[in-house]
């Protein structure tokens, strides 16, 4: 089937919160390859800024970055209410940890929740308690838990399902939060996990990670018992941050755009293990950690190419119920 004839799966994502809370900064870091120091020059969002991001074939995220000035928020909750809150897949609400008007912020959030209950009762809700780097390390956990409890208390029918994350643009916490958010939107993840599991077994990998191409957010990962011993539990987010920073450096030193620098068959060989990052489908990259040796590297390249063909079929046929075994080279 021609991919252009597939029914596109669109997910509307609302990004909301008080003006100055950091919404546009995080959006540009995740989706536009900005680095943290570069977002300082961004101005306030006026009304709603729309952007589209394609994930895994026919899944498209329609991201609505809603300006947080009082006048705009009032319009969202009155004259534009049905337009803004209808058919929402995900609400991401950003709280500024330094806000001196937290109670008012909660009141506004509660009004947004009520509008969401009316027009999109099945939406996912995520709250980001942002700018946590401004809080002393010893107080971060307790302050976040306090804010999380208050947020859930104002979440209405969503109280049992709302998920909150502490975030800052200065470390990998932002990638963890957004990675989990995007993960919740991808259909039939069990099929993707099944194929990745077969690949990991064939190449005896400690870990195989599937990344989205533009954002380098983690789509899915499969880890062996040996890989589970890795002490860095935030390694996926660290990798996302490192790779995007490296792409940004390439763009600076070559006077080109970050989108023009994509990895293809990037690999590292050590006496203890091999690592490869390879282009997978049009919208994904795959990273694998597997045993050392030239033969193992060549075998892995062949098996990634074999797996790529199956994943391309998922993208072009839209059939995510497939569970056939893949003929890998052992």
């Amino acid at each position: 089937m021609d991919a252009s004839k597939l029914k596109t799966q669109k997910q509307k994502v609302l990004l909301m919160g008080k003006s100055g809370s950091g919404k546009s900064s995080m959006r540009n870091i995740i989706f536009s390859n900005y680095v943290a120091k570069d977002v300082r020059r961004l101005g306030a969002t006026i009304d709603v800024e729309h952007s589209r991001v394609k994930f895994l074939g026919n899944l498209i995220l329609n991201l609505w970055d809603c300006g947080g000035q009082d006048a705009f928020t009032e319009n969202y909750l009155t004259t534009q209410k049905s337009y803004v809150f209808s058919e929402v897949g995900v609400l991401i609400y950003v709280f500024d940890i330094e806000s001196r008007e937290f109670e008012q912020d909660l009141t506004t959030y509660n009004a947004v929740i009520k509008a969401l209950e009316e027009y999109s009762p099945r939406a996912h809700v995520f709250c980001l308690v942002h700018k946590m780097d401004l809080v002393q390390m010893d107080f971060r956990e307790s302050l976040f838990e306090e804010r999380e409890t208050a947020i859930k208390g104002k979440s209405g029918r969503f109280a049992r399902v709302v998920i909150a994350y502490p975030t800052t643009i200065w470390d990998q916490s932002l990638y963890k939060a957004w990675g989990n958010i995007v993960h919740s939107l991808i259909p039939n993840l069990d099929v993707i996990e099944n194929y990745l599991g077969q690949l990991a077994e064939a190449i005896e990998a400690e870990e195989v990670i599937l990344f989205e191409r533009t954002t380098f957010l983690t789509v899915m990962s499969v880890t062996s018992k040996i890989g589970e011993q890795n002490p860095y539990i935030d390694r996926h987010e660290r990798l996302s941050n490192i790779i995007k920073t490296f792409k940004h450096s390439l763009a600076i030193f070559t006077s080109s755009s970050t989108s023009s620098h994509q990895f293809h068959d990037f690999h590292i060989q050590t006496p203890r293990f091999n690592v490869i990052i390879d282009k997978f489908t049009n919208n994904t990259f795959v990273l694998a950690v597997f045993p050392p040796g030239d033969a193992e590297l060549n075998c892995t390249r062949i098996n990634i190419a074999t797996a790529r063909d199956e994943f391309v079929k998922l993208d072009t046929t839209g059939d995510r119920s497939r569970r056939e075994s893949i003929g890998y080279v052992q």
Side-chain angles (χ1 to χ4, degrees), residues 82-251:
S82 63
Y83 171 67
V84 172
F85 292 100
S86 293
E87 300 181 347
V88 175
V90 170
L91 166 67
I92 304 169
Y93 202 93
V94 182
F95 289 89
D96 185 345
I97 193 64
E98 278 207 319
S99 174
R100 297 182 180 181
E101 301 175 335
F102 182 57
E103 289 301 322
Q104 180 59 45
D105 297 343
L106 284 175
T107 299
T108 303
Y109 166 71
N110 183 248
V112 168
I113 286 294
K114 288 180 179 178
L116 199 66
E117 288 174 347
E118 181 179 354
Y119 290 97
S120 299
R122 297 184 179 180
H124 300 274
V125 179
F126 296 90
C127 292
L128 307 186
V129 182
H130 198 46
K131 303 183 183 179
M132 291 297 295
D133 57 290
L134 300 177
V135 179
Q136 292 184 30
M137 185 68 72
D138 293 342
F139 300 105
R140 288 182 186 177
E141 184 175 356
S142 60
L143 183 56
F144 168 71
E145 290 176 353
E146 178 185 309
R147 294 294 169 90
E148 181 183 30
T149 299
I151 289 167
K152 289 188 175 182
K154 293 291 186 178
S155 296
R157 298 175 189 171
F158 295 100
R160 293 185 178 181
V161 295
V162 62
I163 301 175
Y165 295 99
T167 58
T168 169
I169 63 173
W170 299 103
D171 66 21
Q172 58 272 10
S173 61
L174 195 63
Y175 290 93
K176 178 181 179 179
W178 278 87
N180 289 339
I181 291 168
V182 169
H183 192 267
S184 72
L185 295 172
I186 299 172
N188 301 103
L189 282 168
D190 58 329
V191 179
I192 298 175
E193 184 177 19
N194 176 53
Y195 280 164
L196 279 188
Q198 291 185 47
L199 173 61
E201 183 177 355
I203 65 177
E204 300 180 354
E206 290 186 17
E207 190 159 31
V208 176
I209 309 171
L210 190 67
F211 290 103
E212 195 278 326
R213 179 181 64 88
T214 302
T215 63
F216 256 91
L217 295 174
T218 301
V219 174
M220 173 62 69
S221 65
V222 174
T223 308
S224 69
K225 291 183 179 179
I226 295 177
E228 289 174 352
Q229 299 175 16
N230 191 316
Y232 295 98
I233 59 175
D234 60 348
R235 59 190 177 276
H236 295 176
E237 295 79 34
R238 290 188 181 211
L239 285 167
S240 296
N241 200 355
I242 290 168
I243 292 169
K244 290 192 73 173
T245 301
F246 179 56
K247 289 171 63 180
H248 190 267
S249 298
L250 289 177

